[in-house]
Amino acid sequence: MTDLQAAAALPAFLDAVTTGQLEVVDLTTPLSSSTPALRLPAPFANLIDFSLEEVSAYNEPGPFWRHNNIHTGEHIGTHLDAPVHWVTGRDGDDVSQIPVGRLIGRAAVLDLTDRVAGDPDYLLTVADVESWEQSYDRLTAGMWLLLRTGWESRGHSEAAFLNADDTGSHTPGVTVECARWLATEREITGLGVETVGVDAGLAGGFDPAFPVHHYFLGNDKYGITSLRNLGRLPAVGAMLVVSPLPIVGGTGSPARVLAVVDRAGARE
């Protein structure tokens, strides 16, 4: 790309967004007190749910304004997991230290909807990814792999979203081998899922436990959860923008996640 082409690229991009030639798709679950959240069994401690505390509302504490305090855990709703969130990444970046260039990248959408419809415990395999790569292209550096499972349809109910019974939470995820392989054999930036966490609901019983957390965060990769609207994205061709709060010392953060789609040039 010449200097002249580079200088014109950003205005052209902004013009295309303004005119709608590029579509911006919100992949974020709205954050409220009813947003489904992870529920760890005893004796493990859980984060607090999201809530708003009114400070003033055009009244005596603040006659011309309305504002609130927010109370929330770091890993509530659509959120990003930073490396320091997991013991294998304990010496890695906190959420404020993540290089901002890694928060924007190409999106690769792998659709497991049909398989998950028949098996809520379905686990992504290396063969699944290799089959996707044969149809589209190899996952490359800077990409985000997004797993479409149809799980967002359960977001109206925490019980349906967590899908738990006496044996645990039954939600889809990734095999141990595939988690290791993606973390070490592909230079992707991270994994995005529609479920409450990047690991399967039963992943606490895997070896190692919670393998996506174990391998991804231990290899300087990230996770994003509780995504929606992945069905509006092509398999390849969209741009992902992840915007967590830069919390100093934070292990993660609620995030607004957007995708930019060129409908003319996208591959379904």
Side-chain angles (χ1 to χ4, degrees):
M1 180 181 290
T2 66
D3 290 344
L4 184 60
Q5 289 173 323
L10 184 57
F13 173 84
L14 295 174
D15 286 345
V17 171
T18 301
T19 62
Q21 293 176 10
L22 293 177
E23 179 186 5
V24 180
V25 180
D26 195 348
L27 307 183
T28 315
T29 297
L31 190 56
S32 72
S33 59
S34 62
T35 300
L38 181 67
R39 305 299 176 195
L40 295 171
F44 304 114
N46 283 292
L47 298 171
I48 63 170
D49 290 332
F50 179 88
S51 65
L52 288 177
E53 176 193 8
E54 182 181 295
V55 176
S56 67
Y58 326 117
N59 50 14
E60 185 175 353
F64 305 119
W65 54 87
R66 177 178 176 180
H67 59 184
N68 305 294
N69 290 322
I70 61 173
H71 301 265
T72 187
E74 298 167 313
H75 301 266
I76 299 293
T78 303
H79 66 270
L80 180 139
D81 291 343
V84 73
H85 172 49
W86 212 249
V87 63
T88 52
R90 65 192 306 165
D91 296 323
D93 288 341
D94 69 31
V95 72
S96 73
Q97 297 167 326
I98 293 174
V100 292
R102 299 191 70 193
L103 297 175
I104 299 176
R106 294 179 176 86
V109 182
L110 199 160
D111 191 348
L112 297 173
T113 305
D114 290 345
R115 292 174 180 146
V116 171
D119 179 8
D121 291 315
Y122 187 83
L123 302 177
L124 179 76
T125 66
V126 174
D128 289 332
V129 181
E130 290 179 330
S131 176
W132 184 95
E133 290 183 325
Q134 288 175 4
S135 297
Y136 299 100
D137 207 349
R138 181 184 170 98
L139 297 172
T140 57
M143 274 188 161
W144 286 86
L145 177 60
L146 308 180
L147 299 186
R148 183 187 177 205
T149 58
W151 212 256
E152 67 165 307
S153 65
R154 297 169 174 258
H156 63 284
S157 163
E158 182 171 273
F161 199 71
L162 300 183
N163 197 34
D165 60 20
D166 291 342
T167 64
S169 180
H170 298 275
T171 64
V174 182
T175 67
V176 171
E177 175 57 22
C178 188
R180 184 204 62 77
W181 182 80
L182 285 170
T184 60
E185 301 297 326
R186 293 295 183 267
E187 297 182 75
I188 59 175
T189 294
L191 178 74
V193 299
E194 296 174 334
T195 48
V196 74
V198 290
D199 272 295
L202 298 178
F206 296 176
D207 184 17
F210 307 105
V212 176
H213 285 84
H214 180 97
Y215 288 115
F216 270 63
L217 303 185
N219 283 278
D220 196 33
K221 289 177 166 61
Y222 317 128
I224 44 178
T225 73
S226 296
L227 297 173
R228 56 175 54 189
N229 294 324
L230 294 185
R232 294 175 58 187
L233 305 188
V236 293
M239 179 179 76
L240 195 73
V241 181
V242 185
S243 300
L245 298 172
I247 303 168
V248 175
T251 70
S253 169
R256 193 72 177 261
V257 181
L258 306 175
V260 182
V261 181
D262 178 1
R263 292 298 177 194
R267 292 174 61 191
E268 301 296 339

